[in-house]
Amino acid sequence: MPALAAAVVASAALVIGRVLLAGHHPDQPTPLAFYGSVLAVWPLALGRAAYRVVVRTYRLTDRAILVDWGPFVCPESPVWLSNLRAVRSGAGWLGRRLGVGWVELSETSGRVLRLTGVRDPAGFAAAIQALVTAGPAPPPP
């Protein structure tokens, strides 16, 4: 979200800058550098968002939560439901309106893992808590 907000602000600055620099010639280096830097923000912001949507997956099984951050990040070890101490969920002001937020998993070992970009974070946290309360199967040896 911060990158997307930065892209919106930069685009607004581009429009305002176009009005302020209307008397300048378009072949001068300063306006061209300004426009080029603003236009470069959008592919980066959209590319990052597309990567996160496509490759980040969280799978809930009867024993564990499997987390996959994508091919550019080292694999995360499974979060065994039998080792969970607490489950929290939340969202920012925009996330609440879009139905997207985070789920935080605290293990008895002290490891805390925050899953971001979760659709219906309260529902996902409730499903995890229901499996923990029901007594998940023990992790494999």
Side-chain angles (χ1 to χ4, degrees), residues 1 4 91-101 118-121:
M1 280 314 221
L4 192 57
W93 67 272
L94 182 59
R96 283 191 294 274
R97 286 159 182 71
L98 298 175
V100 178
V118 177
R119 182 177 297 274
D120 185 24

Side-chain angles (χ1 to χ4, degrees), residues 105-139:
L105 309 170
S106 300
E107 291 184 284
T108 54
S109 65
R111 179 174 87 150
V112 177
L113 185 64
R114 182 174 271 211
L115 311 177
T116 59
V118 177
R119 182 177 297 274
D120 185 24
F124 189 57
I128 294 169
Q129 193 62 44
L131 283 174
V132 169
T133 305

